[in-house]
Amino acid sequence: MNSPIVHHNLGSRPDTQILRRINFSNTIGMALNILVVIAVLYTLYFCRTLLLPVFVAGFIALFSSPLVRLLADFKLPHPLAAALVVIFLLFMLGLTCVFLGGPAAHWLGSLPELGNKLTAHLNGFADQFNLLRSQVMPSASQESNAVSSLFETILFSAVSLAAGTTAMFLVQVAAVFVITYFFLVYGDNLMRNFVRSQSSFAEKKKAVIIFQTVRDDISRYALLISIINIGLGAATACVMAIIGVEDPLLWGTLAAMLNFAPYIGPLLLCVILTGVGFLEYESVSMALLVPGSFLALNFIESQLVTPTVLGRRFNMNPLLVVLWMFAWGWLWGVIGLLIAIPLLVCFKILSLHLNLLGCWINLLDGDVASNKE
């Protein structure tokens, strides 16, 4: 009577061992994947001086490659067309620095005055708070200069950091334009050689489709988002001029540039414009009108214009977008914030074609209700 049970128990032991081995293999695989992610993050962080110009140059080349192809259609040699595009980009960068360098230096020189004004306003609030605290907790110490000291320390640290990174920034800018030229000249040849290295015709066709899709989608995204950001910058400059803020072109340019980093860039500009408002006006209500007007424009752009123009294809989950930008901002600073979204778009396109994430790709979608429809 007990023999079937014995045989059953004996037969179940190999199955249990197999399940344990499978679970152990899955655990080892997950641990290896985590180690790979940590190794990649470590490499990106500690090799950012080398990798950052390469990534930025690759995106600039990807954005400007249609212009190079357009010039090549007029029978210009490809290296000459690439050189003309790089020279044009350098000219636009130099022109921007010439026209906006003076106003930017003026506002940087106004930082001590801004510190004094903000300190006076904050000390007023601090005095009221200290008075209330002295009535509630008479034994508490009153340190009225704490806010002023903290604000001055933050300003000094920010200016020192900007001054210390200027030389390295100039070197990286020069490297970006040199690498961009070589990307524009030899990037297509590199892609052709990669296609030739594929073993079958189907793999070659798939590689060409992926390359063309990434190039076309990124170029389309760059064109549309650039038009939107330029429009936001022009609207910001007009509103600043109407309000009476000095150097409206500077704030319009900053609005267009920082809007490439959604959520975080406009928030940073809002903080800057708050300081500008306190420098320009004495009353708090007029000072807050400066960032408030920009917030109104940014709300129209982010909630109405951008979703309508870009559509669902480039629609991303806002939470993942913010986390992604924070990650790249930690890795590569301000430039990491600016290129984070193009990187995310590239990653999503590659994941769709190579099935890198499987069904997890749906996590990147922003509007679940519309996708269900």
Side-chain angles (χ1 to χ4, degrees):
M1 296 293 293
N2 295 330
S3 58
I5 299 177
V6 172
H7 288 299
H8 177 74
N9 292 334
L10 290 175
S12 63
R13 289 176 183 174
D15 295 337
T16 304
Q17 293 178 357
I18 292 174
L19 290 176
R20 289 178 179 176
R21 290 177 182 175
I22 292 174
N23 292 332
F24 180 75
S25 300
N26 293 335
T27 304
I28 294 297
M30 183 180 298
L32 290 176
N33 291 334
I34 294 174
L35 290 176
V36 169
V37 172
I38 294 174
V40 170
L41 291 176
Y42 181 89
T43 304
L44 290 173
Y45 181 78
F46 288 98
C47 298
R48 58 186 179 274
T49 306
L50 173 64
L51 296 177
L52 184 57
V54 177
F55 272 75
V56 175
F59 279 114
I60 294 177
L62 197 60
F63 297 161
S64 56
S65 58
L67 183 58
V68 175
R69 293 194 297 269
L70 179 63
L71 293 176
D73 291 339
F74 289 96
K75 306 304 179 181
L76 285 177
H78 199 77
L80 178 59
L84 290 177
V85 170
V86 172
I87 291 173
F88 173 75
L89 294 176
L90 280 171
F91 174 75
M92 294 302 297
L93 178 63
L95 193 66
T96 303
C97 293
V98 168
F99 278 97
L100 301 181
H106 166 71
W107 286 101
L108 287 176
S110 302
L111 284 178
E113 180 184 356
L114 173 62
N116 294 331
K117 285 191 174 184
L118 289 181
T119 300
H121 285 286
L122 292 176
N123 279 337
F125 292 114
D127 292 338
Q128 297 177 4
F129 175 75
N130 288 331
L131 179 61
L132 178 62
R133 187 178 62 176
S134 64
Q135 295 175 0
V136 178
M137 296 181 295
S139 60
S141 60
Q142 297 183 1
E143 298 178 358
S144 60
N145 293 326
V147 176
S148 176
S149 300
L150 177 61
F151 191 78
E152 291 175 359
T153 302
I154 293 174
L155 283 179
F156 179 76
S157 300
V159 174
S160 299
L161 179 63
T165 56
T166 300
M168 180 58 67
F169 177 74
L170 293 177
V171 172
Q172 289 183 335
V173 168
V176 163
F177 282 99
V178 172
I179 299 173
T180 299
Y181 173 76
F182 284 97
F183 265 127
L184 290 174
V185 175
Y186 301 106
D188 291 339
N189 292 332
L190 182 64
M191 183 57 200
R192 294 189 190 98
N193 293 333
F194 176 77
V195 172
R196 292 193 190 100
S197 65
Q198 303 301 310
S199 58
S200 63
F201 177 78
E203 292 179 352
K204 293 180 180 181
K205 182 179 179 181
K206 184 177 181 180
V208 171
I209 291 174
I210 292 175
F211 174 75
Q212 291 179 346
T213 303
V214 171
R215 182 189 64 188
D216 295 341
D217 284 353
I218 293 297
S219 299
R220 177 174 174 267
Y221 170 82
L223 177 63
L224 293 177
I225 205 68
S226 298
I227 293 174
I228 292 172
N229 292 345
I230 291 173
L232 176 64
T236 302
C238 292
V239 171
M240 294 298 118
I242 293 172
I243 295 176
V245 179
E246 188 178 356
D247 300 319
L249 289 179
L250 175 64
W251 313 123
T253 303
L254 283 178
M257 292 177 59
L258 292 177
N259 204 52
F260 281 97
Y263 309 111
I264 299 177
L267 179 61
L268 177 60
L269 183 58
C270 185
V271 173
I272 295 174
L273 290 178
T274 302
V276 172
F278 279 100
L279 279 175
E280 290 286 300
Y281 303 103
E282 295 295 333
S283 64
V284 177
S285 59
M286 287 299 298
L288 295 179
L289 178 63
V290 178
S293 59
F294 169 73
L295 283 178
L297 293 175
N298 180 257
F299 178 82
I300 296 173
E301 175 270 325
S302 60
Q303 300 300 319
L304 299 177
V305 178
T306 300
T308 302
V309 174
L310 293 183
R312 300 178 188 175
R313 186 174 182 82
F314 300 106
N315 190 19
M316 301 287 181
N317 188 290
L319 175 59
L320 293 180
V321 167
V322 172
L323 294 177
W324 180 271
M325 286 193 298
F326 269 112
W328 284 99
W330 169 72
L331 288 172
W332 289 350
V334 177
I335 305 300
L337 286 174
L338 295 178
I339 68 173
I341 302 305
L343 278 173
L344 185 58
V345 173
C346 282
F347 177 71
K348 184 177 181 180
I349 294 171
L350 290 174
S351 299
L352 286 172
H353 288 276
L354 299 179
N355 197 22
L356 298 177
L357 298 178
C359 61
W360 293 98
I361 191 66
N362 295 324
L363 290 176
L364 297 177
D365 293 333
D367 194 350
V368 178
S370 63
N371 289 339
K372 288 181 179 180
E373 296 175 0

